[in-house]
Amino acid sequence: MAFTNQGGGNQINSSVVREAAMHSELECLFGAAGAIAKAINDYQPRLGQIEMAQAVATAIHERKSLILEAGTGTGKTFAYLVPALLWGGKVIISTGTKTLQDQLYKRDLPAVSRALNLPVTTALLKGRSNYLCHYWLERVSQEGRFSSREEIDHLRKLKKFIKLTLTGDKSEQDEIPENAPIWAQVTSTRDNCLGGTCPFNKECFVLQARRNAQQADIVVVNHHLFFADVMLRDEGMAEFLPAANTIIFDEAHQLPDTATLFFGESLSTSQLIDLARDLQVEGMSQARDAARWPEVVAPLEKAARDLRLVFGTGPIKLSLQQVKERKGFDQALQQVCVTLTDLIKIVEINAARSEGLSALLKRAESLWQLAERWGSETGEDEIAWVDVFASSVQLHRSPLSVAALFQREREGYPRTWIFTSATLAVGEDFSLYAQQLGLQEAKARSWPSPFNFEQQALLYVPQHMPDPYHPDYTEAVVEQAWPLISVAQGRTFVLCTSLRAVDRIAQSLQVRLEQGGLSLLKQGDLTRTELLQRFRSNPNSVLVASQSFWEGIDVRGPGLSLVVIDKLPFAAPDDPVLSARLNKIEQEGGNPFMDYQIPAAAISLKQGAGRLIRSESDTGVLMICDPRLITKPYGKRLWRSLPAFSRTRDEAVAINFLRHCLASAWLEQS
């Protein structure tokens, strides 16, 4: 017995020694004279970055799960990359946006690899829709169905591009806009991919990217692709995911919502219409004599459009109960099932005539199953809802909580799981995030931003604002914000909590901006990328936007000096998913408002506020118009979750601070 204890002690001591050695090595690497400083221009050692890297190294060593919040400027990317490259084995890094995915793969990973002098192999893997498809490009070229001369020009460029590109990644083709209609015609989807029967299987860019990922030491994916693999075990990717030793989620605050969608199932009218159109093309091409294909698919197109018409104008989100109360919904959904059944019978007879028809049969059967299931009752721990958009409807069914499902995935194979973001906690309380993903056993740590917020930024909450539910509230936001917008001469983000507020505030600002020689940029008028490009190129701009601009936006310098938030970002109480979750908390004896809504709003508020200060030299004013930040007892909890801004309620103080910020910036530039 004594001998066994001694052996265990030696093993423990050995583990402690190894961990200490890893920590010491990281201190040297991140030090003022270390390898990182030598390789990176203007690098400055940060204690938070070193401690975060050490925490990641420990988690890798122990094969544990770890939640890490690191404020803007901590240098969290290098903090997880360095220990991951040194000791992480095969590593998968998952990001929330393609922008960060490209930045990691093209800039950060090469920089760290050079600094450490490590010959690691890396791979970038995106979803199918990001890769040009040989088969569909060939089909589009042969069919020659185009709605404009621009599409013909785009096709010509793509036929040239496919001969030159090594990856087929559409981000390499900068002559064609990302939202150009041609892309939908020349990229594959999970539904219409022919898989192993495709005549271009050997040349397939998607399969090539997956083969590269299987062989690479470091693979960069995104959250959607990660969860698609977890749920669907798609070919190729399932071969390297189980082999990963370390999985790192950056922008990890997005995971609960992404997981909710992927652990559930969805059916959209767009899928039905795409099926009808693809079937018509394939039938006319490969089995013209078998049926009058336009007449065969017409009932499905009509059934899909009739289902959309049940819901009137969008966008809107409806619960299952609200949907059931919609006149004509049950009949419209049943008609979708009937038309799919009729379609399947015809396609079954002709499926052997081509790989395309065989694949379309599987698509039709899958959509029929989804439609049949959606019409059935939901379970106790399941939520069903409908998203209504301008021209389509999506029917969703998902588990009320993904915690148990995600926990099961993590327990399937001993590996390290790292979850990191600038916004995961309320203060230092990670309980909401941990509960959402079943991470209660995971250690959690946080590091504040190294920026001097008290000197660099001012939090301004205006006086005399009406109640947020007052009919004149939006006009009051514009009235109170205009003096600061005028002083800033643009250089402003107005972040709203609803699309309706975006439209009303933009409309109220329009005349004032024109009279002041300033430009208005509004979400919805252009793509997010185009709006940001115009904002950066024209400092005399005001960008009015909603939730998608509260995070993942990086505008450094005096070009963004004022961020205005119209209301505290509480999720809409009529959101069916939120409502179901709140009811569940109440049934279990919790307080839905304090346990869920306040923490969620605090995290979202941190995201919006985080747009203002992005570097050591940034300065500006954060204006939160909602009086509840001051008047309600929970307001203190919300503003205390923000960085340590200087604070004021005096408009003159805010204007003077803003003038000083701009004057200092102009002085530095001159």
Side-chain angles (χ1 to χ4, degrees), residues 258-570:
T258 305
T260 296
L261 286 175
F262 276 92
F263 281 118
E265 53 188 30
S266 299
L267 169 69
S268 73
T269 53
S270 296
Q271 286 176 292
L272 298 170
I273 291 171
D274 287 346
L275 171 66
R277 291 177 177 174
D278 290 347
L279 183 55
Q280 179 175 332
V281 171
E282 187 69 20
M284 294 292 287
S285 170
Q286 303 298 321
R288 181 181 290 270
D289 60 320
R292 295 180 177 178
W293 293 103
E295 296 176 17
V296 168
V297 304
L300 180 59
E301 283 204 52
K302 183 179 186 304
R305 297 190 193 284
D306 287 346
L307 180 60
R308 169 63 189 85
L309 289 173
V310 167
F311 298 98
T313 58
I316 190 173
K317 187 175 283 192
L318 301 169
S319 67
L320 177 62
Q321 183 60 40
Q322 291 171 314
V323 170
K324 292 290 187 181
E325 292 169 359
R326 288 267 168 166
K327 185 178 179 181
F329 171 77
D330 287 334
Q331 296 91 327
L333 183 61
Q334 184 58 36
Q335 189 59 32
V336 167
C337 293
V338 169
T339 55
L340 280 169
T341 301
D342 294 341
L343 201 66
I344 288 168
K345 291 176 182 177
I346 297 172
V347 181
E348 259 181 334
I349 299 171
N350 298 283
R353 298 181 68 165
S354 76
E355 293 90 349
L357 284 170
S358 179
L360 285 162
L361 174 61
K362 293 178 182 177
R363 278 172 65 183
E365 290 171 339
S366 175
L367 292 175
W368 176 83
Q369 290 170 358
L370 287 172
E372 282 285 325
R373 280 199 296 271
W374 209 91
S376 62
E377 292 298 319
T378 57
E380 181 181 338
D381 294 321
E382 190 179 24
I383 176 70
W385 78 98
V386 168
D387 279 322
V388 182
F389 302 100
S391 58
S392 67
V393 167
Q394 293 179 348
L395 281 63
H396 303 282
R397 287 174 75 106
S398 288
L400 203 52
S401 169
V402 299
L405 293 166
F406 189 61
Q407 192 171 29
R408 193 183 313 140
E409 287 298 326
R410 291 191 301 112
E411 292 170 349
Y413 185 88
R415 55 166 67 100
T416 301
W417 298 77
I418 306 293
F419 304 82
T420 184
S421 170
T423 52
L424 293 175
V426 182
E428 294 189 3
D429 181 4
F430 290 86
S431 58
L432 175 61
Y433 187 77
Q435 289 165 8
Q436 287 177 313
L437 292 177
L439 298 172
Q440 284 88 341
E441 91 292 349
K443 291 182 180 178
R445 293 191 62 183
S446 64
W447 293 270
S449 169
F451 301 153
N452 188 345
F453 281 91
E454 191 171 0
Q455 296 293 322
Q456 293 178 242
L458 177 72
L459 170 60
Y460 167 48
V461 182
Q463 302 182 58
H464 313 304
M465 283 292 294
D467 184 271
Y469 299 104
H470 192 281
D472 296 330
Y473 182 81
T474 302
E475 285 67 31
V477 169
V478 173
E479 199 67 36
Q480 294 276 10
W482 177 249
L484 278 78
I485 294 173
S486 181
V487 168
Q489 283 295 286
R491 298 176 174 83
T492 301
F493 275 4
V494 180
L495 300 179
C496 305
T497 53
S498 70
L499 291 172
R500 184 167 177 265
V502 169
D503 291 335
R504 291 183 64 184
I505 288 176
Q507 186 177 12
S508 296
L509 279 173
Q510 181 72 60
V511 175
R512 298 184 193 227
L513 292 172
E514 288 177 355
Q515 291 174 346
L518 305 176
S519 300
L520 174 68
L521 298 170
K522 181 171 78 73
Q523 181 180 346
D525 291 348
L526 298 166
T527 67
R528 185 166 110 150
T529 300
E530 290 169 330
L531 285 171
L532 284 172
Q533 286 174 345
R534 294 199 182 188
F535 184 86
R536 290 189 177 107
S537 63
N538 179 11
N540 301 119
S541 299
V542 175
L543 173 60
V544 185
S546 188
Q547 286 298 130
S548 61
F549 283 79
W550 284 58
E551 60 177 280
I553 305 297
D554 194 355
V555 180
R556 301 191 179 200
L560 177 59
S561 296
L562 173 63
V563 172
V564 180
I565 293 177
D566 71 331
K567 289 183 182 179
L568 295 177
F570 289 110

Side-chain angles (χ1 to χ4, degrees), residues 125 128 131 193 195-196 198 200-214 235-236:
L125 189 59
R128 291 179 181 276
Y131 299 98
C193 175
C198 178
F200 296 96
N201 191 56
K202 291 183 179 179
E203 296 94 342
C204 178
F205 291 123
V206 173
L207 291 182
Q208 178 183 304
R210 288 177 175 167
R211 283 192 293 268
N212 292 341
Q214 290 163 21
E235 68 276 6

